Amino acid sequence: MKPRISQLYRQPLSGFACLRRSPLCVPQYPLLTTLRAFSSTPSHFNWLAPRRGIKNQKSRKGRPRVPTGGSMRGTTIVWGDYGLRMRDHDRRLPASALAIGMETIKRRLRGLKYKLYTRINANIPVFTSGNEVRMGKGKGSFDFWAARVAVSKIIFELKGELHEQVIRDAFRLAAAKMPGLYEIVKKGDPPVMGITKVPEGVTLEDMKRPRMPPKEPLPLEATAARLPAAAP
């Protein structure tokens, strides 16, 4: 004789013993609210295009961040062993140029074990108008995504069991295909404040001091001796 549903709910079962008896029974164990729903599809974030909806928000052109207050954030290696750092001046890099640089590195290191990290993302929408268009009538339509890169900013980081010359060759090929001048840095290299490298033991106050000490004023007698003699 099959038990009724009301009898199944009255049974004080716990754990998975309840599920083995009948699928209609509710197990008596506390629910874990900290667990997330299981999904076999991982969530991938595209660093060359942000989430949807930003493209319709027409933002201004803006300028890259200039660290005038002594900031050295983003100028050193964090996760990898080698990195590619911009060294000429700040600029706005399009997502297509960043994608070409990443594909160049992957093509050079094909078949090798490595981990590539990206330190920037293209989250700035760029709007353009067509050729021979009169002034006015709106900002234009969406054209491409771009990233504002400050001077001395790390763009790519690389980690793996690779020879140093192979990594430098991959970064050299990537830098030749992207706009701007770049340099290859290693983990442990000093940070950069603007375009000035800050060695170990140097503080911000030391950087703000004048490099040449101020000259002491000459005494009045020495200054008077330099003057030409007055004619009688």
Side-chain angles (χ1 to χ4, degrees):
M1 181 177 179
K2 296 183 179 180
R4 298 179 180 179
I5 298 178
S6 60
Q7 295 178 358
L8 292 176
Y9 279 105
R10 293 174 185 174
Q11 296 176 1
L13 299 178
S14 60
F16 293 95
C18 175
L19 298 179
R20 289 197 300 266
R21 292 195 177 186
S22 175
L24 300 177
C25 180
V26 179
Q28 303 295 328
Y29 54 86
L31 298 177
L32 299 178
T33 58
T34 58
L35 296 179
R36 297 183 299 174
F38 173 77
S39 176
S40 60
T41 304
S43 59
H44 296 282
F45 297 96
N46 188 5
W47 67 288
L48 297 176
R51 64 181 187 275
R52 298 179 180 178
I54 301 181
K55 182 171 64 175
N56 300 326
Q57 301 175 3
K58 297 185 178 181
S59 60
R60 302 192 178 186
K61 178 183 294 186
R63 292 179 176 86
R65 178 183 61 86
V66 179
T68 57
S71 175
M72 297 176 289
R73 183 180 62 181
T75 61
T76 56
I77 304 296
V78 178
W79 300 299
D81 298 329
Y82 296 88
L84 187 65
R85 183 167 62 188
M86 179 172 289
R87 67 180 178 88
D88 54 349
H89 60 84
D90 54 274
R91 65 179 67 247
R92 189 175 64 180
L93 294 180
S96 59
L98 297 174
I100 291 174
M102 182 178 64
E103 291 297 330
T104 304
I105 296 175
K106 291 183 178 180
R107 190 181 301 110
R108 177 61 181 84
L109 304 178
R110 182 179 300 174
L112 303 177
K113 295 182 179 180
Y114 66 94
K115 182 69 174 179
L116 181 63
Y117 301 94
T118 57
R119 296 287 299 272
I120 60 175
N121 58 335
N123 57 353
I124 306 299
V126 179
F127 300 84
T128 57
S129 300
N131 297 331
E132 300 181 1
V133 176
R134 295 178 179 271
M135 298 177 61
K137 295 185 179 180
K139 188 179 179 64
S141 58
F142 172 78
D143 192 6
F144 59 92
W145 295 103
R148 298 192 187 113
V149 183
V151 62
S152 303
K153 177 74 174 178
I154 298 290
I155 299 179
F156 296 113
E157 292 187 14
L158 199 60
K159 183 178 182 180
E161 299 178 358
L162 304 174
H163 195 272
E164 179 180 356
Q165 189 62 33
V166 177
I167 298 177
R168 290 183 176 273
D169 189 25
F171 281 151
R172 179 186 59 82
L173 295 175
K177 294 181 179 296
M178 294 190 301
L181 301 178
Y182 301 89
E183 62 179 351
I184 302 172
V185 295
K186 298 174 60 176
K187 191 176 185 62
D189 288 354
V192 181
M193 184 185 302
I195 58 175
T196 305
K197 296 183 179 180
V198 182
E200 186 177 0
V202 179
T203 60
L204 180 60
E205 289 73 14
D206 298 336
M207 297 292 294
K208 291 183 178 180
R209 292 175 184 173
R211 296 187 178 182
M212 298 183 60
K215 297 182 179 180
E216 298 182 358
L218 298 176
L220 184 59
E221 293 78 5
T223 307
R226 294 182 178 182
L227 298 176

